[in-house]
Amino acid sequence: MDVGNHLLNIVIFGVFVAITLAIVLRVSRGNRTATEYYAGGRAFSGRQNGIAIAGDYLSAASFLGIAGAVALYGYDGLLYSVGFLVAWLVALLLVAEPLRNTGKYTMADVLSFRMRQKPVRTAAATSTLVVSFFYLLAQMAGAGGLVALLLGVSDPGQQGLVIAVVGVIMIVYVLVGGMKGTTWVQIIKAALLIAGAAVMTLWVLVQNRFNISALLAKAAEASPEGTRILEPMLQYGGSEMSKLSFVSLAIALVLGAAGLPHVLMRFYTVPTAKAARHSVAWAIALIGAFYLFTLILGYGASVLVGPEVIRDSPGGVNSAAPLLAFELGGTVLLAVISGVAFATILAVVAGLTITASASFSHDVYNSVIRNGSATPEQEVRVARITAVVIGVLAIVGGIVANGQNIAFLVALAFAIAASANLPSILYSLYWKRFNTRGTLWSIIAGLTSALVLIVFSPAVSGSETAMLPDVDFAWFPLTNPALLSVPIGFLAGWLGTITSNETDDAKQAEMEVRAMTGVGAEKAVVH
């Protein structure tokens, strides 16, 4: 199915890139110190950072994937929205404020606060790089898949070229703008994405006279599944294993967000812990509103476009929102939504890249290799070199994974974050007895178990939707490992701690006071 004006799509995307590059160049002047490069000089308000967090979190999968899932699977598709949104309550109540009080630039700052620095920072940086890379790989591969519908490019070589262009622009954002420039890109992208979704939602509601019940009734009529599209377990109710897979996915989504490194790093871009808490409140409001929009967009696409047309389009399930835009507003609205979709990918990969590069330069290069003796200028230079390397790897990986099933990559990122990062973060913040061995065991066990279980799951081999459908080496029956790997991460952290006598009462007391009250947190601002 070939829709829209491909030239107009490219023009609108080019306009967005030109405007954001101009803004990045303007705000990045004097981007020399580590605080300016990693944390945007801690100059953003809670509202600005909350909008940027929403921009970081609302990826192309959130916009295109969830709308498509609702269009085809109804209630089950909406459960993704619920899981993603509930995850922010975990971040708000347990992580945001104490993390901002205790850390400096990265997640490893918190985990190593009262532990032995080198081994903990190395383990935390490894986990950060793995999560960031797989999340980044999914976004880059998604760019190749979406271009088939949005720009009418079906040749794998041309799709690979688009992936490379997205990667190069992203590298420029990170090299020039640092966290400050990337944050403004996220703010602009979030505003465009939410505004675009709001306009389409309002349009669908107007066509149904703001009667949501009537819209749902029409969706049931349009769906081959009938009223089952309005009921739970259409997608996951086939067997006991599919139900357990859904529970496992829910655990990963709800717990993974509070351990995503690129989200955690955003808490350091504000001047105070109070502003960090306000950031999350703003993010919850914006993300919650957006996910409510996906309900209307999904069922609207089911009614106006039709499930069969969505399935048969080049973008498959991801094409529901663009096809709905074409049905509502024709070529112009499709072009705008297409531009927003590519902007979404561009902004998210920039945020992921700066997080990964900061983790390597701050935690590995400065703290482990140079024993903390590197100057801010040296650290920033290494971060920029790392950003280029990560960008190139992401481009190559995205081209290789183009056309493959990328859902497991996102699931892997969330599962690792929930399994390796969150247990160690919560233990560090709230368990006085937690020590270096517990931290290392928690990260290594959570990371390893998540990776191994995913590799030997139906998401990779042994099923029609697997990344390698022609081979079968799957022995783990669930498509997401979180049901097993998250408890392993928590258990390993507990077991490692109780088998070690290491304690640092003075550091533990300092961390507890700082995390809970913010007293002494200003020390973290000084490099």
Side-chain angles (χ1 to χ4, degrees):
M1 182 178 181
D2 194 21
V3 296
N5 186 316
H6 304 139
L7 178 60
L8 185 59
N9 295 342
I10 295 173
V11 169
I12 289 181
F13 180 58
V15 169
F16 173 85
V17 171
I19 292 173
T20 51
L21 277 177
I23 293 173
V24 165
L25 289 170
R26 181 176 179 83
V27 303
S28 63
R29 295 171 183 171
N31 223 0
R32 295 185 182 88
T33 69
T35 301
E36 288 171 336
Y37 186 79
Y38 296 146
R42 308 191 199 277
F44 292 95
S45 66
R47 181 180 62 211
Q48 290 173 328
N49 197 50
I51 297 172
I53 288 175
D56 237 344
Y57 196 65
L58 297 174
S59 65
S62 296
F63 178 42
L64 303 171
I66 294 178
V70 173
L72 298 184
Y73 304 110
Y75 188 98
D76 282 11
L78 183 63
L79 292 176
Y80 280 89
S81 297
V82 175
F84 282 131
L85 183 58
V86 170
W88 279 103
L89 298 179
V90 179
L92 174 63
L93 298 176
L94 298 178
V95 175
E97 187 170 353
L99 189 85
R100 171 59 185 82
N101 284 337
T102 311
K104 184 175 182 180
Y105 300 131
T106 66
M107 176 185 73
D109 289 334
V110 176
L111 300 184
S112 64
F113 191 94
R114 55 191 174 97
M115 315 297 178
R116 296 198 304 274
Q117 293 283 312
K118 286 189 176 182
V120 171
R121 284 190 180 275
T122 301
T126 301
S127 177
T128 295
L129 290 170
V130 172
V131 173
S132 299
F133 178 74
F134 279 100
Y135 209 119
L136 189 61
L137 191 62
Q139 297 296 321
M140 298 296 284
L146 291 174
V147 73
L149 176 72
L150 303 181
L151 299 182
V153 176
S154 57
D155 179 69
Q158 293 176 330
Q159 292 181 11
L161 179 61
V162 172
I163 292 174
V165 170
V166 171
V168 170
I169 296 172
M170 169 266 292
I171 292 172
V172 173
Y173 280 155
V174 175
L175 290 182
V176 175
M179 180 58 84
K180 188 179 293 184
T182 302
T183 298
W184 279 109
V185 172
Q186 297 287 14
I187 290 172
I188 295 169
K189 167 252 173 169
L192 286 174
L193 181 61
I194 294 172
V199 169
M200 290 174 62
T201 299
L202 185 61
W203 207 321
V204 171
L205 289 175
V206 167
Q207 289 195 357
N208 289 274
R209 299 183 179 180
F210 291 91
N211 189 335
I212 296 178
S213 296
L215 174 64
L216 297 181
K218 292 178 182 178
E221 291 177 7
S223 173
E225 302 293 338
T227 56
R228 286 198 64 204
I229 198 172
L230 307 178
E231 301 170 0
M233 296 292 108
L234 173 59
Q235 184 178 7
Y236 296 102
S239 65
E240 291 302 317
M241 281 303 165
S242 64
K243 293 176 182 177
L244 284 176
S245 290
F246 171 72
V247 173
S248 190
L249 176 64
I251 292 172
L253 297 182
V254 170
L255 299 181
L260 290 175
H262 67 292
V263 171
L264 297 177
M265 193 171 174
R266 289 230 156 264
F267 297 142
Y268 301 124
T269 63
V270 290
T272 65
K274 183 179 179 180
R277 192 169 63 249
H278 286 170
S279 295
V280 179
W282 270 94
I284 288 175
L286 293 171
I287 293 169
F290 179 84
Y291 284 144
L292 287 176
F293 295 157
T294 60
L295 171 66
I296 306 299
L297 295 177
Y299 281 121
S302 183
V303 172
L304 297 175
V305 180
E308 296 304 320
V309 175
I310 293 171
R311 281 194 179 94
D312 295 339
S313 66
V317 65
N318 293 324
S319 65
L323 290 176
L324 175 61
F326 183 68
E327 289 294 327
L328 292 173
T331 302
V332 174
L333 185 59
L334 174 64
V336 172
I337 296 303
S338 300
V340 169
F342 275 106
T344 296
I345 293 172
L346 196 59
V348 172
V349 296
L352 287 163
T353 301
I354 195 168
T355 299
S357 63
S359 180
F360 180 83
S361 63
H362 180 63
D363 297 322
V364 178
Y365 172 73
N366 185 18
S367 300
V368 176
I369 298 176
R370 295 292 301 274
N371 294 311
S373 64
T375 65
E377 291 75 16
Q378 290 173 327
E379 200 173 313
V380 170
R381 185 168 63 250
V382 171
R384 286 180 166 141
I385 294 172
T386 306
V388 174
V389 174
I390 292 171
V392 172
L393 290 175
I395 291 170
V396 174
I399 293 173
V400 171
N402 185 29
Q404 300 290 336
N405 181 350
I406 64 170
F408 86 99
L409 295 173
V410 176
L412 178 58
F414 272 84
I416 294 174
S419 306
N421 296 347
L422 187 63
S424 51
I425 289 172
L426 294 182
Y427 278 149
S428 293
L429 293 174
Y430 298 106
W431 188 16
K432 297 179 181 180
R433 179 78 172 77
F434 197 51
N435 54 33
T436 300
R437 181 184 293 178
T439 305
L440 294 177
W441 283 22
S442 177
I443 294 174
I444 293 171
L447 177 64
T448 304
S449 62
L451 284 170
V452 170
L453 293 177
I454 276 287
V455 168
F456 294 102
S457 76
V460 175
S461 70
S463 68
E464 293 181 1
T465 58
M467 184 178 184
L468 304 173
D470 297 329
V471 296
D472 186 0
F473 48 83
W475 51 260
F476 182 65
L478 306 182
T479 54
N480 190 285
L483 185 63
L484 192 57
S485 60
V486 171
I488 287 175
F490 276 102
L491 180 62
W494 171 79
L495 189 62
T497 299
I498 65 171
T499 56
S500 171
N501 295 323
E502 177 194 355
T503 57
D504 190 337
D505 293 336
K507 267 291 184 183
Q508 190 281 324
E510 180 186 352
M511 182 174 184
E512 185 175 7
V513 170
R514 180 182 291 192
M516 295 298 104
T517 68
V519 175
E522 66 276 0
K523 296 177 183 178
V525 179
V526 181
H527 190 278

